[in-house]
Amino acid sequence: MKKVLTVDDSVSVRQMVRAVLTVAGYSVMEAKDGREALGAARSEQANMVITDLNMPVMDGLTFIRELRKLPAYSGVPIVFLSTESDTAVKQEAKAAGATGWITKPFSQDQLLAVVKKLIGS
């Protein structure tokens, strides 16, 4: 079973991502900020990471820069799930190591399509 780490300070967003991906057959790990997500990533290998940009403690950009330093996550797809749609911010995210971007609000079909495209079923 493929594992997805979802990182968002919003409980409702994490619950929605979990519900959609679990029904589709994925295992989901959750973290409320970048620091907690780094701890989760160090203890369990995820096949993909979905993260918010703006979070307390450690924001999404800092999180992916730190995550990319871990050899086990150098090639793991990382997708931002954020309300932010500014092109400059997206470019900064790509430079930090992001694979893709989904703008909130998002549909279940859109989320599943991105996950399947990046890590398969």
Side-chain angles (χ1 to χ4, degrees):
M1 180 180 288
K2 301 225 172 139
K3 190 175 296 183
V4 177
L5 171 59
T6 181
V7 189
D8 201 302
D9 58 326
S10 167
V11 173
S12 61
V13 170
R14 290 195 318 265
Q15 287 175 338
M16 182 177 171
V17 170
R18 174 183 284 280
V20 170
L21 297 182
T22 300
V23 167
Y26 297 96
S27 173
V28 178
M29 304 175 350
E30 295 181 28
K32 66 180 182 294
D33 59 57
R35 185 186 309 167
E36 187 175 289
L38 277 176
R42 286 185 177 112
S43 64
E44 280 189 71
Q45 178 68 45
N47 301 99
M48 178 178 180
V49 177
I50 300 172
T51 183
D52 191 9
L53 178 64
N54 299 309
M55 298 179 286
V57 183
M58 181 186 288
D59 65 57
L61 282 173
T62 304
F63 165 61
I64 44 176
R65 287 184 186 113
E66 293 300 314
L67 189 65
R68 287 296 189 208
K69 293 177 183 175
L70 302 176
Y73 283 88
S74 63
V76 171
I78 302 172
V79 174
F80 267 108
L81 183 61
S82 177
T83 56
E84 182 68 55
S85 61
D86 183 76
T87 302
V89 176
K90 288 181 179 179
Q91 289 174 341
E92 187 177 3
K94 186 174 180 178
T99 309
W101 196 282
I102 300 172
T103 303
K104 295 177 187 174
F106 60 97
S107 71
Q108 295 179 6
D109 290 343
Q110 181 186 18
L111 176 64
L112 267 180
V114 170
V115 172
K116 286 181 180 178
K117 179 179 178 182
L118 292 173
I119 62 171
S121 300

